[in-house]
Amino acid sequence: MRRIDHRPRWGLAAAGAILAIALAGCTPGPVPPPASSSPSSPSPTATPTPTGPVLVPDGTAADNLPLFAAIVNQVAATDQAVQGRAYIDALVAAGFDKADMEVTQDLTTVGNPADAIQFSVRWDGECLVGQVGPSTPAPTALVLPEVPGGTCLIGQTRPIDW
């Protein structure tokens, strides 16, 4: 699995990035059930628990960063690593709302591949922001504040019309 680099790449305040890293943290794995003290009692049927991060609909952006980062890593490891649509589609499949997403262009104005692409999900006044591409040493996923105007990315983004 590729490592998520938590250093900001698009010039936003380092304090926001440090806060995002501090809030992301690690979550403990499932706790095994206690051993039964009575050998004659039947064993309870185990309920399957999801492996890996899951969407937390009522949670914060920081609560959902582990899932967002996992998706960024998964897509970045494919041959679609610098195709914005692949990230949007994977985020939608994981339960994020497409209406709250933004993505930059895959190509420059002269048709060359972009040095980096960014994509985001607005989440309750904050943004889950990802960046990948040849100029980015590793896939990046952060929680950052919304920019003025209620968006997550600065500059021109492309329509998500698929």
Side-chain angles (χ1 to χ4, degrees), residues 2-75:
R2 298 174 86 178
R3 182 177 70 81
I4 294 292
D5 183 353
H6 293 283
R7 293 176 289 171
R9 298 280 181 213
W10 39 87
L12 295 173
I18 292 169
L19 178 61
I21 292 167
L23 292 176
C26 294
T27 58
V31 177
S36 174
S37 59
S38 160
S40 62
S41 65
S43 307
T45 304
T47 303
T49 56
T51 58
V54 296
L55 186 69
V56 184
D58 295 328
T60 64
D63 293 336
N64 287 291
L65 181 61
L67 177 60
F68 183 85
I71 292 167
V72 171
N73 274 330
Q74 289 169 359
V75 176

Side-chain angles (χ1 to χ4, degrees), residues 111-134:
N112 294 327
D115 288 335
I117 60 169
Q118 292 86 33
F119 41 90
S120 65
V121 178
R122 257 185 337 276
W123 195 279
D124 197 26
E126 293 184 295
C127 300
L128 293 156
V129 179
Q131 179 172 318
V132 295

Side-chain angles (χ1 to χ4, degrees), residues 54-116:
V54 296
L55 186 69
V56 184
D58 295 328
T60 64
D63 293 336
N64 287 291
L65 181 61
L67 177 60
F68 183 85
I71 292 167
V72 171
N73 274 330
Q74 289 169 359
V75 176
T78 71
D79 60 350
Q80 298 179 332
V82 288
Q83 295 176 14
R85 181 175 181 157
Y87 293 92
I88 299 303
D89 290 347
L91 290 164
V92 168
F96 290 97
D97 187 357
K98 188 186 283 189
D100 292 325
M101 296 183 193
E102 298 171 75
V103 64
T104 61
Q105 298 288 339
D106 296 348
L107 301 173
T108 67
T109 56
V110 295
N112 294 327
D115 288 335

